[in-house]
Amino acid sequence: MSIRHAAVAAVVAALAGLASADVTSETQNFSFPLSPGGTTLNFAQFDTQGGTRELCKVSFSFDALIGANVTAENDSTLPAPNFAINLSGFITIDVGNPAVLSGFAGINQVAGAGVGPSDGVADSGPDFHDFGFLSDDASGMDMTTLLADFVQFIGAGTVPVDIDASAGFSVSGSTDSTINVTDLAASGSVTITYEYKVVPAPASVALLGLGGLVAGRRRR
């Protein structure tokens, strides 16, 4: 290999070392009452640090839980051996404005108990059951590699993440019943991850190129 080719190879190797892949992420928690309900989180945009970092991929993931404290009472004169509470709902998460990343998860949970016929006394007795905290959780993720979508993720500002959820309870197994729901809410966390590569600043490229030329000249 000639001295000139060796110098060029050294510069290329140095540049390759600078162009390494890396990730940075941010996680925020949320919690709000239902139903329905929602909130907006604001995540930091990707900082290119003066053009020395190039964004390659944006992704997000989430974990969510919807639940409430539930009690129910059989108001029928007939026993209800299959007395049950049904929880159903959903949560949606949109990243960006307009949204370029979206997540959706359904919530479903059933809890059963056998109760007797109505005894005429509210909130107690064999016709009454405390189901405690009834809940269901879900998770999901989405990502984008479209360069056109990166515009709103790059800068020194924020990216909005809109979270909406809704849920409800119903009773089955009885022709007449009373349900009491308290503290119905959604909670969880959202994580946004930026995958990027480190690139040399123009000054670094010039210095590396000059160093290679100087090394070549000295060996002639």
Side-chain angles (χ1 to χ4, degrees):
M1 180 183 292
S2 68
I3 294 176
R4 179 177 295 178
H5 288 166
V8 172
V11 173
V12 172
L15 292 176
L18 289 172
S20 58
D22 209 341
V23 297
T24 181
S25 64
E26 179 185 358
T27 299
Q28 293 189 34
N29 298 323
F30 64 86
S31 179
F32 52 85
L34 301 178
S35 170
T39 190
T40 298
L41 305 177
N42 290 295
F43 283 75
Q45 290 179 308
F46 177 75
D47 183 2
T48 64
Q49 296 187 357
T52 61
R53 304 197 306 176
E54 181 181 343
L55 185 60
C56 302
K57 181 185 294 184
V58 182
S59 62
F60 93 99
S61 60
F62 70 90
D63 294 290
L65 181 144
I66 293 178
N69 295 305
V70 183
T71 64
E73 190 160 21
N74 180 20
D75 296 328
S76 171
T77 57
L78 300 175
N82 298 314
F83 201 52
I85 293 293
N86 307 276
L87 162 65
S88 61
F90 65 88
I91 185 164
T92 61
I93 299 178
D94 293 321
V95 180
N97 184 23
V100 294
L101 295 170
S102 297
F104 175 86
I107 299 295
N108 293 281
Q109 187 64 272
V110 177
V115 296
S118 175
D119 60 3
V121 179
D123 301 328
S124 65
D127 61 341
F128 174 83
H129 188 78
D130 185 350
F131 290 89
F133 184 73
L134 186 60
S135 65
D136 191 24
D137 56 14
S139 61
M141 68 175 297
D142 196 4
M143 65 180 62
T144 179
T145 55
L146 299 177
L147 295 179
D149 293 337
F150 287 170
V151 175
Q152 62 178 301
F153 290 105
I154 298 174
T158 58
V159 178
V161 175
D162 295 320
I163 306 170
D164 294 287
S166 181
F169 290 86
S170 61
V171 180
S172 60
S174 172
T175 59
D176 189 10
S177 60
T178 300
I179 182 173
N180 184 32
V181 177
T182 58
D183 301 322
L184 177 59
S187 61
S189 65
V190 176
T191 298
I192 290 185
T193 300
Y194 298 125
E195 183 177 323
Y196 64 93
K197 62 181 179 180
V198 179
V199 296
S204 300
V205 175
L207 288 174
L208 286 171
L210 180 60
L213 291 175
V214 170
R217 288 177 178 176
R218 284 180 178 177
R219 291 181 178 272
R220 287 179 179 176

